[in-house]
Amino acid sequence: MKTIVRNIFTGVMLVGTGIFVNGQFLTASDTSESSVKKYKGIINSNKDLVEFIEQLLLQKGLPKHLRNLALIESHFNRNITSGAGAVGIWQLMTAHANQYGLTEQNRTDVYKSTKTAVISLGNLYKKYNNWVTVVAAYNCGEGNIAKAMQAAGSSQYHEFSKYLPEETINHVKKYLNACYATGELQSVLSNYNTSRINKVFFEEGGRNVTNEALSETDINAGFNLKVVADELDVEVDKILTWNPGIVEELQKKGESTFYLPTDLMPDFLLKKNKILSRSIKEGAAQLP
Protein backbone atom coordinates (compact mmCIF):
# COMPACT_ATOMS: atom_id res chain seq x y z
CA MET A 1 0.00 0.00 0.00
CA LYS A 2 1.49 3.34 -1.02
CA THR A 3 -0.19 6.63 -0.32
CA ILE A 4 0.87 10.14 -1.26
CA VAL A 5 -0.75 13.10 0.47
CA ARG A 6 0.30 16.68 -0.35
CA ASN A 7 -0.68 19.86 1.43
CA ILE A 8 0.57 23.06 -0.18
CA PHE A 9 -0.09 25.06 2.97
CA THR A 10 1.84 22.89 5.44
CA GLY A 11 4.67 21.55 3.31
CA VAL A 12 3.92 17.95 4.28
CA MET A 13 4.18 14.96 2.01
CA LEU A 14 3.53 11.38 3.07
CA VAL A 15 5.19 8.82 0.81
CA GLY A 16 4.80 5.16 1.67
CA THR A 17 6.39 4.86 5.12
CA GLY A 18 7.81 8.36 5.46
CA ILE A 19 6.72 11.92 6.05
CA PHE A 20 8.59 14.90 4.67
CA VAL A 21 8.30 18.05 6.76
CA ASN A 22 9.96 20.99 5.05
CA GLY A 23 12.71 18.78 3.70
CA GLN A 24 13.13 16.68 6.85
CA PHE A 25 12.16 13.00 6.82
CA LEU A 26 9.88 11.87 9.63
CA THR A 27 9.19 8.15 9.28
CA ALA A 28 6.24 6.02 10.20
CA SER A 29 7.09 2.47 11.23
CA ASP A 30 4.86 0.47 8.93
CA THR A 31 1.98 1.32 6.62
CA SER A 32 1.50 -2.17 5.24
CA GLU A 33 -1.96 -3.64 4.80
CA SER A 34 -1.24 -6.29 7.42
CA SER A 35 -0.35 -3.64 10.00
CA VAL A 36 -3.45 -1.58 9.20
CA LYS A 37 -5.60 -4.71 9.47
CA LYS A 38 -4.01 -5.62 12.82
CA TYR A 39 -4.71 -2.22 14.39
CA LYS A 40 -8.25 -2.08 13.07
CA GLY A 41 -8.87 -5.59 14.40
CA ILE A 42 -7.71 -4.65 17.90
CA ILE A 43 -9.96 -1.57 17.91
CA ASN A 44 -12.97 -3.54 16.69
CA SER A 45 -12.38 -6.15 19.39
CA ASN A 46 -12.47 -3.48 22.08
CA LYS A 47 -15.32 -1.27 20.84
CA ASP A 48 -16.87 -0.55 24.24
CA LEU A 49 -13.54 0.41 25.79
CA VAL A 50 -12.58 2.50 22.76
CA GLU A 51 -15.88 4.40 22.91
CA PHE A 52 -15.39 5.03 26.63
CA ILE A 53 -11.87 6.42 26.05
CA GLU A 54 -13.05 8.60 23.18
CA GLN A 55 -15.86 10.04 25.32
CA LEU A 56 -13.44 11.05 28.08
CA LEU A 57 -11.11 12.59 25.51
CA LEU A 58 -13.92 14.59 23.92
CA GLN A 59 -15.14 15.79 27.33
CA LYS A 60 -11.72 17.36 27.87
CA GLY A 61 -11.58 18.80 24.35
CA LEU A 62 -8.92 16.35 23.20
CA PRO A 63 -8.90 14.54 19.82
CA LYS A 64 -10.16 10.97 19.54
CA HIS A 65 -6.96 9.81 17.85
CA LEU A 66 -5.29 9.79 21.29
CA ARG A 67 -7.10 6.50 21.83
CA ASN A 68 -4.32 5.16 19.59
CA LEU A 69 -1.82 5.78 22.37
CA ALA A 70 -3.53 3.13 24.49
CA LEU A 71 -3.69 0.98 21.36
CA ILE A 72 0.08 0.97 20.87
CA GLU A 73 0.90 1.02 24.58
CA SER A 74 -1.07 -2.06 25.58
CA HIS A 75 -3.51 -3.15 22.84
CA PHE A 76 -6.10 -2.11 25.48
CA ASN A 77 -4.97 -4.87 27.86
CA ARG A 78 -5.51 -3.58 31.42
CA ASN A 79 -3.44 -6.38 32.98
CA ILE A 80 -0.24 -5.89 30.99
CA THR A 81 3.00 -4.89 32.76
CA SER A 82 6.12 -3.79 30.91
CA GLY A 83 9.68 -4.77 31.80
CA ALA A 84 10.18 -1.25 33.16
CA GLY A 85 7.17 -1.59 35.49
CA ALA A 86 4.59 0.37 33.49
CA VAL A 87 1.07 -0.97 34.13
CA GLY A 88 -2.38 -0.95 32.54
CA ILE A 89 -3.85 0.14 29.24
CA TRP A 90 -1.99 3.47 29.43
CA GLN A 91 1.23 1.88 30.73
CA LEU A 92 1.57 4.28 33.62
CA MET A 93 4.71 4.24 35.74
CA THR A 94 4.22 4.57 39.51
CA ALA A 95 5.77 8.07 39.66
CA HIS A 96 3.63 9.28 36.75
CA ALA A 97 0.48 7.91 38.35
CA ASN A 98 1.30 9.36 41.76
CA GLN A 99 1.87 12.77 40.19
CA TYR A 100 -1.85 12.85 39.38
CA GLY A 101 -3.05 11.22 42.59
CA LEU A 102 -3.50 7.73 41.13
CA THR A 103 -2.36 4.94 43.41
CA GLU A 104 -0.08 2.20 42.18
CA GLN A 105 -2.88 -0.37 42.53
CA ASN A 106 -5.37 1.72 40.52
CA ARG A 107 -3.20 1.76 37.42
CA THR A 108 -5.18 -1.28 36.22
CA ASP A 109 -8.49 0.49 36.85
CA VAL A 110 -9.68 1.43 33.37
CA TYR A 111 -11.76 4.44 34.45
CA LYS A 112 -9.29 5.96 36.91
CA SER A 113 -6.22 5.33 34.75
CA THR A 114 -7.92 6.79 31.68
CA LYS A 115 -8.91 9.92 33.60
CA THR A 116 -5.29 10.27 34.70
CA ALA A 117 -3.94 9.73 31.18
CA VAL A 118 -6.37 12.26 29.69
CA ILE A 119 -5.37 14.96 32.21
CA SER A 120 -1.69 14.19 31.63
CA LEU A 121 -2.04 14.38 27.85
CA GLY A 122 -3.91 17.67 28.12
CA ASN A 123 -1.15 19.15 30.26
CA LEU A 124 1.52 17.96 27.83
CA TYR A 125 -0.34 19.58 24.95
CA LYS A 126 -0.49 22.91 26.78
CA LYS A 127 3.28 22.66 27.06
CA TYR A 128 4.25 21.44 23.57
CA ASN A 129 1.32 22.48 21.36
CA ASN A 130 1.52 19.46 19.05
CA TRP A 131 0.58 15.82 19.42
CA VAL A 132 3.77 14.36 17.95
CA THR A 133 5.89 15.86 20.72
CA VAL A 134 3.22 14.96 23.30
CA VAL A 135 3.46 11.27 22.32
CA ALA A 136 7.25 11.43 22.57
CA ALA A 137 7.10 13.12 25.99
CA TYR A 138 4.53 10.59 27.25
CA ASN A 139 7.02 7.84 26.40
CA CYS A 140 10.36 9.22 27.60
CA GLY A 141 9.44 12.04 29.97
CA GLU A 142 9.63 15.82 29.79
CA GLY A 143 13.22 15.87 31.02
CA ASN A 144 14.47 13.90 28.02
CA ILE A 145 12.49 16.14 25.67
CA ALA A 146 14.07 19.25 27.21
CA LYS A 147 17.57 17.76 26.85
CA ALA A 148 16.92 16.80 23.23
CA MET A 149 15.59 20.27 22.41
CA GLN A 150 18.64 21.85 24.00
CA ALA A 151 21.04 19.53 22.15
CA ALA A 152 19.35 20.27 18.82
CA GLY A 153 18.84 23.96 19.48
CA SER A 154 15.28 23.49 18.29
CA SER A 155 11.79 22.80 19.64
CA GLN A 156 10.76 20.99 16.43
CA TYR A 157 10.40 17.22 16.77
CA HIS A 158 11.83 16.41 13.35
CA GLU A 159 15.00 18.26 14.37
CA PHE A 160 15.46 17.19 18.00
CA SER A 161 14.20 13.60 17.68
CA LYS A 162 17.69 12.29 16.81
CA TYR A 163 18.69 13.05 20.40
CA LEU A 164 15.85 10.98 21.89
CA PRO A 165 16.06 7.31 22.96
CA GLU A 166 15.54 4.89 20.08
CA GLU A 167 12.56 3.42 21.93
CA THR A 168 10.84 6.83 21.90
CA ILE A 169 11.52 7.39 18.20
CA ASN A 170 9.98 3.99 17.44
CA HIS A 171 7.05 4.79 19.72
CA VAL A 172 6.24 7.91 17.71
CA LYS A 173 6.52 5.88 14.50
CA LYS A 174 4.04 3.36 15.87
CA TYR A 175 1.65 6.15 16.81
CA LEU A 176 1.83 7.67 13.34
CA ASN A 177 1.24 4.24 11.87
CA ALA A 178 -1.77 3.65 14.14
CA CYS A 179 -3.20 7.01 13.08
CA TYR A 180 -2.61 6.03 9.45
CA ALA A 181 -4.60 2.84 10.12
CA THR A 182 -7.50 4.80 11.66
CA GLY A 183 -7.49 7.45 8.92
CA GLU A 184 -6.31 10.24 11.24
CA LEU A 185 -2.69 10.71 10.19
CA GLN A 186 -3.32 13.83 8.14
CA SER A 187 -5.00 15.44 11.15
CA VAL A 188 -1.96 14.73 13.31
CA LEU A 189 0.39 16.12 10.67
CA SER A 190 -1.70 19.23 10.14
CA ASN A 191 -1.64 19.84 13.88
CA TYR A 192 2.14 19.41 13.93
CA ASN A 193 2.64 21.94 11.16
CA THR A 194 0.12 24.42 12.55
CA SER A 195 2.15 24.52 15.77
CA ARG A 196 5.20 25.54 13.75
CA ILE A 197 3.63 28.62 12.19
CA ASN A 198 5.38 31.80 13.28
CA LYS A 199 3.44 34.03 15.67
CA VAL A 200 3.30 37.78 15.15
CA PHE A 201 2.47 40.09 18.01
CA PHE A 202 1.74 43.83 18.02
CA GLU A 203 2.64 46.19 20.84
CA GLU A 204 1.41 49.72 21.36
CA GLY A 205 3.74 52.09 19.55
CA GLY A 206 5.45 49.45 17.45
CA ARG A 207 5.50 45.98 15.97
CA ASN A 208 7.38 43.08 17.50
CA VAL A 209 7.84 39.81 15.68
CA THR A 210 8.91 36.50 17.13
CA ASN A 211 9.47 33.34 15.11
CA GLU A 212 9.78 30.97 18.05
CA ALA A 213 7.17 28.30 18.71
CA LEU A 214 5.60 29.39 21.99
CA SER A 215 4.13 27.48 24.93
CA GLU A 216 1.86 29.01 27.54
CA THR A 217 1.27 28.86 31.26
CA ASP A 218 -0.27 31.22 33.84
CA ILE A 219 1.42 33.65 36.24
CA ASN A 220 0.14 36.17 38.78
CA ALA A 221 1.21 39.68 39.74
CA GLY A 222 3.64 38.27 42.31
CA PHE A 223 6.11 37.46 39.52
CA ASN A 224 8.77 40.07 38.79
CA LEU A 225 9.60 39.94 35.09
CA LYS A 226 13.17 41.08 35.75
CA VAL A 227 13.64 38.10 38.05
CA VAL A 228 12.08 35.80 35.46
CA ALA A 229 14.48 37.10 32.81
CA ASP A 230 17.48 36.76 35.14
CA GLU A 231 16.63 33.17 36.10
CA LEU A 232 16.12 32.18 32.46
CA ASP A 233 19.19 34.11 31.31
CA VAL A 234 17.30 36.17 28.73
CA GLU A 235 16.73 39.88 28.23
CA VAL A 236 13.62 41.47 29.75
CA ASP A 237 12.89 42.91 26.31
CA LYS A 238 12.58 39.34 24.99
CA ILE A 239 10.07 38.51 27.72
CA LEU A 240 8.04 41.57 26.70
CA THR A 241 8.28 40.64 23.01
CA TRP A 242 6.83 37.22 23.73
CA ASN A 243 4.22 38.75 26.05
CA PRO A 244 2.99 42.10 24.69
CA GLY A 245 0.82 43.97 27.17
CA ILE A 246 1.59 41.60 30.05
CA VAL A 247 2.61 44.39 32.46
CA GLU A 248 -0.75 46.10 32.06
CA GLU A 249 -2.57 42.78 32.26
CA LEU A 250 -0.89 41.86 35.55
CA GLN A 251 -1.58 45.30 37.01
CA LYS A 252 -5.21 45.26 35.92
CA LYS A 253 -6.25 41.66 36.59
CA GLY A 254 -3.52 40.35 38.88
CA GLU A 255 -2.87 37.43 36.56
CA SER A 256 -2.04 36.74 32.93
CA THR A 257 -1.27 34.05 30.41
CA PHE A 258 2.51 33.85 30.05
CA TYR A 259 4.26 32.83 26.83
CA LEU A 260 7.78 31.46 26.41
CA PRO A 261 9.55 29.59 23.59
CA THR A 262 8.84 25.89 23.91
CA ASP A 263 12.46 25.07 24.71
CA LEU A 264 12.51 27.61 27.59
CA MET A 265 9.20 26.64 29.18
CA PRO A 266 10.46 23.46 30.94
CA ASP A 267 13.21 25.52 32.65
CA PHE A 268 10.66 28.11 33.79
CA LEU A 269 8.29 25.48 35.17
CA LEU A 270 11.11 23.82 37.09
CA LYS A 271 12.13 27.17 38.61
CA LYS A 272 8.64 28.64 38.95
CA ASN A 273 8.41 28.40 42.75
CA LYS A 274 11.95 29.71 43.15
CA ILE A 275 11.23 32.62 40.80
CA LEU A 276 8.05 33.55 42.69
CA SER A 277 9.80 33.34 46.06
CA ARG A 278 12.66 35.52 44.83
CA SER A 279 10.21 37.99 43.23
CA ILE A 280 8.33 38.40 46.51
CA LYS A 281 11.53 38.83 48.54
CA GLU A 282 12.99 41.42 46.18
CA GLY A 283 9.66 43.25 46.05
CA ALA A 284 9.51 43.38 49.86
CA ALA A 285 13.11 44.65 50.05
CA GLN A 286 12.16 47.62 47.88
CA LEU A 287 9.32 48.72 50.17
CA PRO A 288 9.97 51.85 52.31
Side-chain angles (χ1 to χ4, degrees), residues 70-221:
L71 169 64
I72 65 170
E73 289 280 0
S74 65
H75 290 182
F76 303 113
N77 182 353
R78 61 183 291 179
N79 297 312
I80 193 170
T81 301
S82 74
V87 172
I89 64 173
W90 294 98
Q91 288 292 277
L92 294 167
M93 297 292 288
T94 300
H96 189 179
N98 290 344
Q99 182 182 350
Y100 290 92
L102 184 72
T103 65
E104 184 173 359
Q105 294 76 16
N106 280 336
R107 288 181 295 166
T108 58
D109 185 295
V110 172
Y111 177 72
K112 293 179 179 178
S113 66
T114 298
K115 283 189 66 177
T116 296
V118 168
I119 294 171
S120 174
L121 290 168
N123 288 341
L124 289 174
Y125 189 76
K126 289 178 183 177
K127 185 172 183 177
Y128 299 117
N129 298 313
N130 76 83
W131 296 116
V132 173
T133 304
V134 165
V135 171
Y138 189 89
N139 178 261
C140 70
E142 296 166 57
N144 281 323
I145 297 294
K147 291 176 184 177
M149 287 181 175
Q150 184 174 12
S154 172
S155 61
Q156 308 302 321
Y157 176 83
H158 63 280
E159 294 179 349
F160 72 72
S161 59
K162 59 186 176 183
Y163 297 102
L164 293 175
E166 190 65 28
E167 175 191 345
T168 300
I169 295 172
N170 288 330
H171 202 67
V172 171
K173 291 177 181 179
K174 288 179 182 177
Y175 189 79
L176 294 175
N177 183 48
C179 289
Y180 176 82
T182 56
E184 296 162 308
L185 179 58
Q186 189 60 41
S187 174
V188 176
L189 296 182
S190 295
N191 167 265
Y192 177 74
N193 280 273
T194 298
S195 74
R196 302 171 65 236
I197 295 175
N198 292 344
K199 292 190 176 182
V200 179
F201 293 111
F202 295 88
E203 277 189 316
E204 185 177 350
R207 180 174 183 240
N208 286 309
V209 181
T210 178
N211 60 6
E212 292 96 341
L214 301 178
S215 295
E216 67 179 70
T217 185
D218 296 311
I219 64 171
N220 58 45

Side-chain angles (χ1 to χ4, degrees), residues 1-5 7 10 12-21 26-31 36 63-68 131-132 135 172-193:
M1 178 182 292
K2 185 173 182 180
T3 303
I4 298 178
V5 180
N7 188 319
T10 61
V12 171
M13 179 170 68
L14 172 66
V15 183
T17 60
I19 303 158
F20 281 102
V21 186
L26 183 65
T27 58
S29 58
D30 181 17
T31 55
V36 171
K64 291 195 296 183
H65 64 70
L66 289 173
R67 129 270 292 154
N68 291 338
W131 296 116
V132 173
V135 171
V172 171
K173 291 177 181 179
K174 288 179 182 177
Y175 189 79
L176 294 175
N177 183 48
C179 289
Y180 176 82
T182 56
E184 296 162 308
L185 179 58
Q186 189 60 41
S187 174
V188 176
L189 296 182
S190 295
N191 167 265
Y192 177 74
N193 280 273

